[in-house]
Amino acid sequence: MRPPQKCFPLNFRRQFRVIASAVFFLVSGALAIQAQRPLGVDVSHYQGSINWPSVNGSGISFAWAKATEGLSVNDAYFAVNESGAPAAGVMIGAYHYAHPEMNIGLAGADQEAAHFWSVAGNYIKNGGNYLMPMLDIEQDLSTATPAYTKTTLSQWVNRWCQDVVNYAAASGVTVTPVVYTYTSYSSAWLNSTVTVWPLWMAQYPASPNPHSGAPSSTSPWTPGAWVVWQYSATGVVPGISGNCDLDVFNGTAAGLTNLVIGTNAQLPLVTLVPQLDRAVDAGGTVSFAGTAT
């Protein structure tokens, strides 16, 4: 015998559908918000004095500031940026612009790492406000004597990064430097030995979408292995005069903490490319892909 069916008033069923729809859109909206990639900028003395509260209010959550260049340049706004950004709620890191064509070989890398540490070392510390140090490797090598190869330039990069790791360790801090470069340069001058360091890739599409796009190449890193993408060099951000570089982190706000000194520096850096178009019927399965470095 079939059990009696339960009948609900028509008005109740309508109310249930409205509530269910509201819950669905609330959950969908929450997932979309969680999947948004954190946005950032990188700055130097070219941007002058920065209003960091305005930068934070525009949706920027992280930044890197130039500290040094080669052996003789110290950025005039570095200390101001390193103190002003955290005070306004923006996490910030320090970067060094490399000149391997002037400071040749491993000895040159040692000298530039020492110069960087002498200026930036006080801001490479635990506390939750500072990001991993970054090496900017993009300088033209046509004047270098002897000429570099992929092998020798990669050795230069690895030596600089390891020197900074050692300087930090001597101060009780664990860091994993990030390597910044651009697509054609990395393909021409770097080999797979540098892929032990997280990649910050510069590449500027005509119409970039920082929340769903990606650099066109990550060689010699594996495809999709980028951690930060500089997707524009002509950005306009409230609180910053003129144009600035715009960046995006390849993951969620929670994942960004892996780049913060003194948090998850000992763990693998896990990034997730949001897939917002995944949909299945109830009881079905759905797949997501992530990258760990």
Side-chain angles (χ1 to χ4, degrees):
M1 178 183 239
R2 194 169 75 179
Q5 294 182 334
K6 294 182 179 179
C7 296
F8 295 97
L10 179 62
N11 190 45
F12 174 84
R13 283 180 280 171
R14 286 175 179 167
Q15 290 177 351
F16 178 81
R17 284 198 295 269
V18 170
I19 294 171
S21 298
V23 170
F24 171 81
F25 284 112
L26 284 172
V27 172
S28 299
L31 290 173
I33 291 172
Q34 287 180 339
Q36 293 292 298
R37 295 170 175 169
L39 301 177
V41 294
D42 54 278
V43 298
S44 69
H45 65 281
Y46 289 112
Q47 281 71 47
S49 180
I50 295 174
N51 184 324
W52 285 105
S54 294
V55 172
N56 178 259
S58 71
I60 298 298
S61 59
F62 69 91
W64 265 270
K66 183 178 179 180
T68 52
E69 179 175 341
L71 292 181
S72 58
V73 177
N74 300 338
D75 194 277
Y77 283 87
F78 172 67
V80 173
N81 288 329
E82 290 288 317
S83 60
V90 178
M91 296 177 291
I92 192 166
Y95 79 85
H96 173 76
Y97 188 99
H99 278 284
E101 84 291 358
M102 297 173 61
N103 305 299
I104 304 292
L106 299 184
D110 290 340
Q111 291 172 322
E112 291 204 18
H115 178 215
F116 171 73
W117 187 261
S118 70
V119 173
N122 288 337
Y123 303 96
I124 300 174
K125 59 184 180 181
N126 299 324
N129 292 321
Y130 297 107
L131 301 174
M132 298 295 175
M134 181 265 278
L135 174 66
D136 183 338
I137 185 75
E138 59 175 300
Q139 184 63 23
D140 176 29
L141 300 174
S142 61
T143 61
T145 303
Y148 279 97
T149 65
K150 278 190 175 185
T151 297
T152 55
L153 186 65
S154 297
Q155 289 171 344
W156 198 104
V157 169
N158 290 331
R159 183 63 162 258
W160 188 96
C161 291
Q162 190 59 53
D163 283 348
V164 171
V165 168
N166 295 342
Y167 283 126
S171 298
V173 179
T174 300
V175 299
T176 304
V178 177
V179 172
Y180 167 98
T181 186
Y182 61 92
T183 51
S184 59
Y185 192 94
S186 65
S187 297
W189 289 109
L190 300 176
N191 65 28
S192 61
T193 63
V194 303
T195 63
V196 296
W197 314 109
L199 170 64
W200 179 347
M201 184 62 86
Q203 193 261 329
Y204 314 134
S207 300
N209 185 330
H211 293 297
S212 62
S216 60
S217 170
T218 56
S219 178
W221 285 262
T222 57
W226 62 276
V227 173
V228 179
W229 173 30
Q230 187 184 90
Y231 62 90
S232 175
T234 57
V236 177
V237 176
I240 300 178
S241 300
N243 292 335
C244 66
D245 297 329
L246 300 180
D247 307 295
V248 62
F249 173 72
N250 188 14
T252 63
L256 182 61
T257 61
N258 286 281
L259 290 179
V260 179
I261 299 171
T263 53
N264 296 325
Q266 298 282 0
L267 302 178
L269 178 62
V270 178
T271 60
L272 174 67
V273 179
Q275 301 288 341
L276 302 181
D277 58 346
R278 297 295 192 249
V280 293
D281 294 329
T285 60
V286 62
S287 298
F288 295 90
T291 301
T293 55

